[in-house]
PDB file of all heavy atoms in Angstrom:
ATOM      1  N   PRO A   1      60.292 -20.558 -24.218  1.00 95.00           N
ATOM      2  CA  PRO A   1      61.382 -19.649 -23.817  1.00 95.00           C
ATOM      3  C   PRO A   1      61.630 -18.641 -24.944  1.00 95.00           C
ATOM      4  O   PRO A   1      61.691 -19.012 -26.120  1.00 95.00           O
ATOM      5  CB  PRO A   1      62.579 -20.600 -23.634  1.00 95.00           C
ATOM      6  CG  PRO A   1      62.253 -21.776 -24.508  1.00 95.00           C
ATOM      7  CD  PRO A   1      60.768 -21.931 -24.463  1.00 95.00           C
ATOM      8  N   GLY A   2      61.741 -17.369 -24.562  1.00 88.00           N
ATOM      9  CA  GLY A   2      61.920 -16.343 -25.585  1.00 88.00           C
ATOM     10  C   GLY A   2      60.724 -16.199 -26.489  1.00 88.00           C
ATOM     11  O   GLY A   2      60.832 -15.629 -27.584  1.00 88.00           O
ATOM     12  N   GLY A   3      59.590 -16.719 -26.065  1.00 89.00           N
ATOM     13  CA  GLY A   3      58.378 -16.614 -26.857  1.00 89.00           C
ATOM     14  C   GLY A   3      58.296 -17.589 -28.005  1.00 89.00           C
ATOM     15  O   GLY A   3      57.323 -17.567 -28.767  1.00 89.00           O
ATOM     16  N   GLU A   4      59.293 -18.455 -28.169  1.00 92.00           N
ATOM     17  CA  GLU A   4      59.319 -19.406 -29.277  1.00 92.00           C
ATOM     18  C   GLU A   4      59.023 -20.810 -28.774  1.00 92.00           C
ATOM     19  O   GLU A   4      59.519 -21.220 -27.715  1.00 92.00           O
ATOM     20  CB  GLU A   4      60.694 -19.387 -29.959  1.00 92.00           C
ATOM     21  CG  GLU A   4      61.065 -18.039 -30.564  1.00 92.00           C
ATOM     22  CD  GLU A   4      60.113 -17.632 -31.668  1.00 92.00           C
ATOM     23  OE1 GLU A   4      59.753 -18.485 -32.505  1.00 92.00           O
ATOM     24  OE2 GLU A   4      59.727 -16.444 -31.704  1.00 92.00           O
ATOM     25  N   PRO A   5      58.221 -21.582 -29.510  1.00 94.00           N
ATOM     26  CA  PRO A   5      57.881 -22.937 -29.056  1.00 94.00           C
ATOM     27  C   PRO A   5      59.075 -23.886 -29.100  1.00 94.00           C
ATOM     28  O   PRO A   5      59.818 -23.924 -30.080  1.00 94.00           O
ATOM     29  CB  PRO A   5      56.789 -23.373 -30.043  1.00 94.00           C
ATOM     30  CG  PRO A   5      57.028 -22.541 -31.271  1.00 94.00           C
ATOM     31  CD  PRO A   5      57.566 -21.235 -30.784  1.00 94.00           C
ATOM     32  N   VAL A   6      59.257 -24.621 -28.021  1.00 96.00           N
ATOM     33  CA  VAL A   6      60.311 -25.628 -27.935  1.00 96.00           C
ATOM     34  C   VAL A   6      59.679 -26.910 -27.394  1.00 96.00           C
ATOM     35  O   VAL A   6      59.066 -26.903 -26.324  1.00 96.00           O
ATOM     36  CB  VAL A   6      61.462 -25.178 -27.005  1.00 96.00           C
ATOM     37  CG1 VAL A   6      62.458 -26.314 -26.814  1.00 96.00           C
ATOM     38  CG2 VAL A   6      62.148 -23.949 -27.564  1.00 96.00           C
ATOM     39  N   ARG A   7      59.826 -27.981 -28.128  1.00 96.00           N
ATOM     40  CA  ARG A   7      59.210 -29.244 -27.706  1.00 96.00           C
ATOM     41  C   ARG A   7      60.021 -29.866 -26.570  1.00 96.00           C
ATOM     42  O   ARG A   7      61.263 -29.896 -26.617  1.00 96.00           O
ATOM     43  CB  ARG A   7      59.115 -30.207 -28.876  1.00 96.00           C
ATOM     44  CG  ARG A   7      58.298 -31.454 -28.577  1.00 96.00           C
ATOM     45  CD  ARG A   7      57.765 -32.086 -29.834  1.00 96.00           C
ATOM     46  NE  ARG A   7      57.008 -33.295 -29.534  1.00 96.00           N
ATOM     47  CZ  ARG A   7      56.217 -33.912 -30.407  1.00 96.00           C
ATOM     48  NH1 ARG A   7      56.089 -33.399 -31.631  1.00 96.00           N
ATOM     49  NH2 ARG A   7      55.566 -34.997 -30.075  1.00 96.00           N
ATOM     50  N   VAL A   8      59.309 -30.359 -25.550  1.00 97.00           N
ATOM     51  CA  VAL A   8      59.952 -30.977 -24.391  1.00 97.00           C
ATOM     52  C   VAL A   8      59.283 -32.318 -24.123  1.00 97.00           C
ATOM     53  O   VAL A   8      58.129 -32.546 -24.512  1.00 97.00           O
ATOM     54  CB  VAL A   8      59.853 -30.065 -23.144  1.00 97.00           C
ATOM     55  CG1 VAL A   8      60.628 -28.774 -23.353  1.00 97.00           C
ATOM     56  CG2 VAL A   8      58.393 -29.769 -22.810  1.00 97.00           C
ATOM     57  N   PRO A   9      59.986 -33.225 -23.460  1.00 97.00           N
ATOM     58  CA  PRO A   9      59.422 -34.565 -23.241  1.00 97.00           C
ATOM     59  C   PRO A   9      58.388 -34.627 -22.126  1.00 97.00           C
ATOM     60  O   PRO A   9      57.557 -35.546 -22.100  1.00 97.00           O
ATOM     61  CB  PRO A   9      60.644 -35.418 -22.908  1.00 97.00           C
ATOM     62  CG  PRO A   9      61.621 -34.441 -22.318  1.00 97.00           C
ATOM     63  CD  PRO A   9      61.408 -33.166 -23.050  1.00 97.00           C
ATOM     64  N   GLU A  10      58.438 -33.673 -21.189  1.00 96.00           N
ATOM     65  CA  GLU A  10      57.523 -33.729 -20.058  1.00 96.00           C
ATOM     66  C   GLU A  10      57.368 -32.357 -19.421  1.00 96.00           C
ATOM     67  O   GLU A  10      58.140 -31.434 -19.688  1.00 96.00           O
ATOM     68  CB  GLU A  10      58.009 -34.740 -19.017  1.00 96.00           C
ATOM     69  CG  GLU A  10      59.352 -34.387 -18.403  1.00 96.00           C
ATOM     70  CD  GLU A  10      59.862 -35.458 -17.449  1.00 96.00           C
ATOM     71  OE1 GLU A  10      59.554 -36.637 -17.673  1.00 96.00           O
ATOM     72  OE2 GLU A  10      60.556 -35.088 -16.476  1.00 96.00           O
ATOM     73  N   ALA A  11      56.347 -32.239 -18.589  1.00 97.00           N
ATOM     74  CA  ALA A  11      56.095 -30.992 -17.857  1.00 97.00           C
ATOM     75  C   ALA A  11      55.769 -31.332 -16.415  1.00 97.00           C
ATOM     76  O   ALA A  11      55.034 -32.285 -16.132  1.00 97.00           O
ATOM     77  CB  ALA A  11      54.939 -30.225 -18.492  1.00 97.00           C
ATOM     78  N   ASP A  12      56.318 -30.525 -15.499  1.00 96.00           N
ATOM     79  CA  ASP A  12      56.134 -30.764 -14.069  1.00 96.00           C
ATOM     80  C   ASP A  12      54.881 -30.071 -13.538  1.00 96.00           C
ATOM     81  O   ASP A  12      54.333 -29.149 -14.169  1.00 96.00           O
ATOM     82  CB  ASP A  12      57.345 -30.251 -13.291  1.00 96.00           C
ATOM     83  CG  ASP A  12      58.606 -31.025 -13.627  1.00 96.00           C
ATOM     84  OD1 ASP A  12      58.504 -32.234 -13.887  1.00 96.00           O
ATOM     85  OD2 ASP A  12      59.693 -30.401 -13.650  1.00 96.00           O
ATOM     86  N   ALA A  13      54.467 -30.488 -12.346  1.00 95.00           N
ATOM     87  CA  ALA A  13      53.339 -29.848 -11.675  1.00 95.00           C
ATOM     88  C   ALA A  13      53.636 -28.366 -11.486  1.00 95.00           C
ATOM     89  O   ALA A  13      54.725 -27.984 -11.061  1.00 95.00           O
ATOM     90  CB  ALA A  13      53.079 -30.514 -10.329  1.00 95.00           C
ATOM     91  N   GLY A  14      52.673 -27.539 -11.811  1.00 96.00           N
ATOM     92  CA  GLY A  14      52.835 -26.097 -11.697  1.00 96.00           C
ATOM     93  C   GLY A  14      53.142 -25.419 -13.013  1.00 96.00           C
ATOM     94  O   GLY A  14      53.023 -24.193 -13.128  1.00 96.00           O
ATOM     95  N   GLU A  15      53.532 -26.178 -14.029  1.00 97.00           N
ATOM     96  CA  GLU A  15      53.890 -25.579 -15.316  1.00 97.00           C
ATOM     97  C   GLU A  15      52.659 -25.307 -16.170  1.00 97.00           C
ATOM     98  O   GLU A  15      51.652 -26.041 -16.113  1.00 97.00           O
ATOM     99  CB  GLU A  15      54.838 -26.497 -16.082  1.00 97.00           C
ATOM    100  CG  GLU A  15      56.275 -26.444 -15.618  1.00 97.00           C
ATOM    101  CD  GLU A  15      57.216 -27.011 -16.663  1.00 97.00           C
ATOM    102  OE1 GLU A  15      57.666 -26.240 -17.529  1.00 97.00           O
ATOM    103  OE2 GLU A  15      57.485 -28.220 -16.601  1.00 97.00           O
ATOM    104  N   LEU A  16      52.770 -24.261 -16.987  1.00 98.00           N
ATOM    105  CA  LEU A  16      51.808 -23.993 -18.051  1.00 98.00           C
ATOM    106  C   LEU A  16      52.492 -24.347 -19.354  1.00 98.00           C
ATOM    107  O   LEU A  16      53.576 -23.833 -19.660  1.00 98.00           O
ATOM    108  CB  LEU A  16      51.393 -22.520 -18.066  1.00 98.00           C
ATOM    109  CG  LEU A  16      50.918 -21.905 -16.751  1.00 98.00           C
ATOM    110  CD1 LEU A  16      50.436 -20.476 -16.984  1.00 98.00           C
ATOM    111  CD2 LEU A  16      49.810 -22.732 -16.129  1.00 98.00           C
ATOM    112  N   VAL A  17      51.882 -25.225 -20.134  1.00 97.00           N
ATOM    113  CA  VAL A  17      52.491 -25.691 -21.379  1.00 97.00           C
ATOM    114  C   VAL A  17      51.421 -25.789 -22.460  1.00 97.00           C
ATOM    115  O   VAL A  17      50.211 -25.750 -22.182  1.00 97.00           O
ATOM    116  CB  VAL A  17      53.163 -27.073 -21.192  1.00 97.00           C
ATOM    117  CG1 VAL A  17      54.405 -26.957 -20.329  1.00 97.00           C
ATOM    118  CG2 VAL A  17      52.180 -28.085 -20.598  1.00 97.00           C
ATOM    119  N   ALA A  18      51.886 -25.906 -23.689  1.00 97.00           N
ATOM    120  CA  ALA A  18      50.985 -26.133 -24.817  1.00 97.00           C
ATOM    121  C   ALA A  18      51.034 -27.604 -25.193  1.00 97.00           C
ATOM    122  O   ALA A  18      52.113 -28.203 -25.262  1.00 97.00           O
ATOM    123  CB  ALA A  18      51.391 -25.265 -26.002  1.00 97.00           C
ATOM    124  N   LEU A  19      49.865 -28.180 -25.433  1.00 96.00           N
ATOM    125  CA  LEU A  19      49.743 -29.599 -25.751  1.00 96.00           C
ATOM    126  C   LEU A  19      49.185 -29.742 -27.160  1.00 96.00           C
ATOM    127  O   LEU A  19      48.245 -29.033 -27.540  1.00 96.00           O
ATOM    128  CB  LEU A  19      48.831 -30.307 -24.745  1.00 96.00           C
ATOM    129  CG  LEU A  19      49.156 -30.059 -23.265  1.00 96.00           C
ATOM    130  CD1 LEU A  19      48.106 -30.719 -22.376  1.00 96.00           C
ATOM    131  CD2 LEU A  19      50.547 -30.573 -22.934  1.00 96.00           C
ATOM    132  N   GLY A  20      49.756 -30.673 -27.913  1.00 94.00           N
ATOM    133  CA  GLY A  20      49.341 -30.847 -29.298  1.00 94.00           C
ATOM    134  C   GLY A  20      48.262 -31.888 -29.484  1.00 94.00           C
ATOM    135  O   GLY A  20      48.180 -32.877 -28.752  1.00 94.00           O
ATOM    136  N   ARG A  21      47.391 -31.615 -30.460  1.00 89.00           N
ATOM    137  CA  ARG A  21      46.401 -32.566 -30.977  1.00 89.00           C
ATOM    138  C   ARG A  21      45.431 -33.097 -29.928  1.00 89.00           C
ATOM    139  O   ARG A  21      45.129 -34.289 -29.909  1.00 89.00           O
ATOM    140  CB  ARG A  21      47.108 -33.717 -31.701  1.00 89.00           C
ATOM    141  CG  ARG A  21      47.885 -33.259 -32.937  1.00 89.00           C
ATOM    142  CD  ARG A  21      48.209 -34.433 -33.831  1.00 89.00           C
ATOM    143  NE  ARG A  21      49.119 -35.382 -33.221  1.00 89.00           N
ATOM    144  CZ  ARG A  21      50.441 -35.281 -33.245  1.00 89.00           C
ATOM    145  NH1 ARG A  21      51.009 -34.231 -33.819  1.00 89.00           N
ATOM    146  NH2 ARG A  21      51.192 -36.199 -32.695  1.00 89.00           N
ATOM    147  N   LEU A  22      44.928 -32.214 -29.082  1.00 90.00           N
ATOM    148  CA  LEU A  22      43.854 -32.620 -28.173  1.00 90.00           C
ATOM    149  C   LEU A  22      42.512 -32.201 -28.783  1.00 90.00           C
ATOM    150  O   LEU A  22      41.721 -31.481 -28.182  1.00 90.00           O
ATOM    151  CB  LEU A  22      44.037 -31.969 -26.799  1.00 90.00           C
ATOM    152  CG  LEU A  22      45.255 -32.401 -25.986  1.00 90.00           C
ATOM    153  CD1 LEU A  22      45.244 -31.725 -24.616  1.00 90.00           C
ATOM    154  CD2 LEU A  22      45.293 -33.924 -25.817  1.00 90.00           C
ATOM    155  N   GLU A  23      42.269 -32.629 -30.015  1.00 84.00           N
ATOM    156  CA  GLU A  23      41.080 -32.193 -30.728  1.00 84.00           C
ATOM    157  C   GLU A  23      39.824 -32.717 -30.032  1.00 84.00           C
ATOM    158  O   GLU A  23      39.745 -33.870 -29.619  1.00 84.00           O
ATOM    159  CB  GLU A  23      41.139 -32.661 -32.179  1.00 84.00           C
ATOM    160  CG  GLU A  23      42.322 -32.040 -32.936  1.00 84.00           C
ATOM    161  CD  GLU A  23      42.305 -32.356 -34.416  1.00 84.00           C
ATOM    162  OE1 GLU A  23      41.197 -32.458 -34.968  1.00 84.00           O
ATOM    163  OE2 GLU A  23      43.381 -32.502 -35.007  1.00 84.00           O
ATOM    164  N   GLY A  24      38.853 -31.822 -29.912  1.00 82.00           N
ATOM    165  CA  GLY A  24      37.603 -32.178 -29.253  1.00 82.00           C
ATOM    166  C   GLY A  24      37.600 -31.909 -27.762  1.00 82.00           C
ATOM    167  O   GLY A  24      36.559 -32.035 -27.115  1.00 82.00           O
ATOM    168  N   VAL A  25      38.757 -31.548 -27.192  1.00 88.00           N
ATOM    169  CA  VAL A  25      38.837 -31.229 -25.765  1.00 88.00           C
ATOM    170  C   VAL A  25      38.555 -29.738 -25.596  1.00 88.00           C
ATOM    171  O   VAL A  25      39.283 -28.894 -26.114  1.00 88.00           O
ATOM    172  CB  VAL A  25      40.214 -31.584 -25.182  1.00 88.00           C
ATOM    173  CG1 VAL A  25      40.297 -31.173 -23.713  1.00 88.00           C
ATOM    174  CG2 VAL A  25      40.476 -33.081 -25.331  1.00 88.00           C
ATOM    175  N   ALA A  26      37.500 -29.410 -24.876  1.00 87.00           N
ATOM    176  CA  ALA A  26      37.041 -28.027 -24.788  1.00 87.00           C
ATOM    177  C   ALA A  26      37.851 -27.222 -23.782  1.00 87.00           C
ATOM    178  O   ALA A  26      38.478 -27.780 -22.866  1.00 87.00           O
ATOM    179  CB  ALA A  26      35.559 -27.995 -24.404  1.00 87.00           C
ATOM    180  N   THR A  27      37.834 -25.917 -23.956  1.00 90.00           N
ATOM    181  CA  THR A  27      38.436 -25.007 -22.983  1.00 90.00           C
ATOM    182  C   THR A  27      37.775 -25.211 -21.622  1.00 90.00           C
ATOM    183  O   THR A  27      36.551 -25.249 -21.511  1.00 90.00           O
ATOM    184  CB  THR A  27      38.250 -23.548 -23.435  1.00 90.00           C
ATOM    185  OG1 THR A  27      38.853 -23.374 -24.710  1.00 90.00           O
ATOM    186  CG2 THR A  27      38.872 -22.595 -22.443  1.00 90.00           C
ATOM    187  N   GLY A  28      38.594 -25.358 -20.584  1.00 92.00           N
ATOM    188  CA  GLY A  28      38.078 -25.589 -19.237  1.00 92.00           C
ATOM    189  C   GLY A  28      38.052 -27.047 -18.838  1.00 92.00           C
ATOM    190  O   GLY A  28      37.838 -27.366 -17.658  1.00 92.00           O
ATOM    191  N   ALA A  29      38.273 -27.951 -19.792  1.00 91.00           N
ATOM    192  CA  ALA A  29      38.211 -29.388 -19.492  1.00 91.00           C
ATOM    193  C   ALA A  29      39.346 -29.802 -18.560  1.00 91.00           C
ATOM    194  O   ALA A  29      40.446 -29.254 -18.599  1.00 91.00           O
ATOM    195  CB  ALA A  29      38.277 -30.194 -20.780  1.00 91.00           C
ATOM    196  N   VAL A  30      39.053 -30.783 -17.714  1.00 94.00           N
ATOM    197  CA  VAL A  30      40.039 -31.344 -16.791  1.00 94.00           C
ATOM    198  C   VAL A  30      40.387 -32.748 -17.260  1.00 94.00           C
ATOM    199  O   VAL A  30      39.497 -33.584 -17.473  1.00 94.00           O
ATOM    200  CB  VAL A  30      39.491 -31.377 -15.351  1.00 94.00           C
ATOM    201  CG1 VAL A  30      40.472 -32.094 -14.425  1.00 94.00           C
ATOM    202  CG2 VAL A  30      39.239 -29.964 -14.842  1.00 94.00           C
ATOM    203  N   LEU A  31      41.677 -33.012 -17.420  1.00 94.00           N
ATOM    204  CA  LEU A  31      42.152 -34.309 -17.890  1.00 94.00           C
ATOM    205  C   LEU A  31      42.877 -35.028 -16.767  1.00 94.00           C
ATOM    206  O   LEU A  31      43.691 -34.435 -16.070  1.00 94.00           O
ATOM    207  CB  LEU A  31      43.110 -34.123 -19.071  1.00 94.00           C
ATOM    208  CG  LEU A  31      42.607 -33.278 -20.250  1.00 94.00           C
ATOM    209  CD1 LEU A  31      43.701 -33.124 -21.294  1.00 94.00           C
ATOM    210  CD2 LEU A  31      41.360 -33.884 -20.857  1.00 94.00           C
ATOM    211  N   GLY A  32      42.575 -36.304 -16.616  1.00 92.00           N
ATOM    212  CA  GLY A  32      43.291 -37.126 -15.644  1.00 92.00           C
ATOM    213  C   GLY A  32      42.455 -37.567 -14.473  1.00 92.00           C
ATOM    214  O   GLY A  32      42.709 -38.618 -13.887  1.00 92.00           O
ATOM    215  N   ASP A  33      41.455 -36.781 -14.089  1.00 87.00           N
ATOM    216  CA  ASP A  33      40.614 -37.131 -12.948  1.00 87.00           C
ATOM    217  C   ASP A  33      39.295 -36.373 -13.071  1.00 87.00           C
ATOM    218  O   ASP A  33      39.201 -35.221 -12.640  1.00 87.00           O
ATOM    219  CB  ASP A  33      41.311 -36.784 -11.634  1.00 87.00           C
ATOM    220  CG  ASP A  33      40.465 -37.160 -10.405  1.00 87.00           C
ATOM    221  OD1 ASP A  33      39.385 -37.752 -10.596  1.00 87.00           O
ATOM    222  OD2 ASP A  33      40.898 -36.858  -9.282  1.00 87.00           O
ATOM    223  N   PRO A  34      38.276 -36.991 -13.675  1.00 77.00           N
ATOM    224  CA  PRO A  34      37.002 -36.295 -13.862  1.00 77.00           C
ATOM    225  C   PRO A  34      36.409 -35.759 -12.565  1.00 77.00           C
ATOM    226  O   PRO A  34      35.730 -34.738 -12.555  1.00 77.00           O
ATOM    227  CB  PRO A  34      36.094 -37.384 -14.470  1.00 77.00           C
ATOM    228  CG  PRO A  34      37.043 -38.366 -15.090  1.00 77.00           C
ATOM    229  CD  PRO A  34      38.249 -38.361 -14.222  1.00 77.00           C
ATOM    230  N   GLY A  35      36.726 -36.403 -11.452  1.00 81.00           N
ATOM    231  CA  GLY A  35      36.200 -35.956 -10.174  1.00 81.00           C
ATOM    232  C   GLY A  35      36.787 -34.650  -9.699  1.00 81.00           C
ATOM    233  O   GLY A  35      36.251 -34.003  -8.791  1.00 81.00           O
TER     234      GLY A  35
END
């Protein structure tokens, strides 16, 4: 909000959020259901 990062406990379906420390996860990767 306002362009400044604010940590939140969860994100709902449809949201775009930033996730921390997913090192090794490439751009385009799908998490939660490989299928």
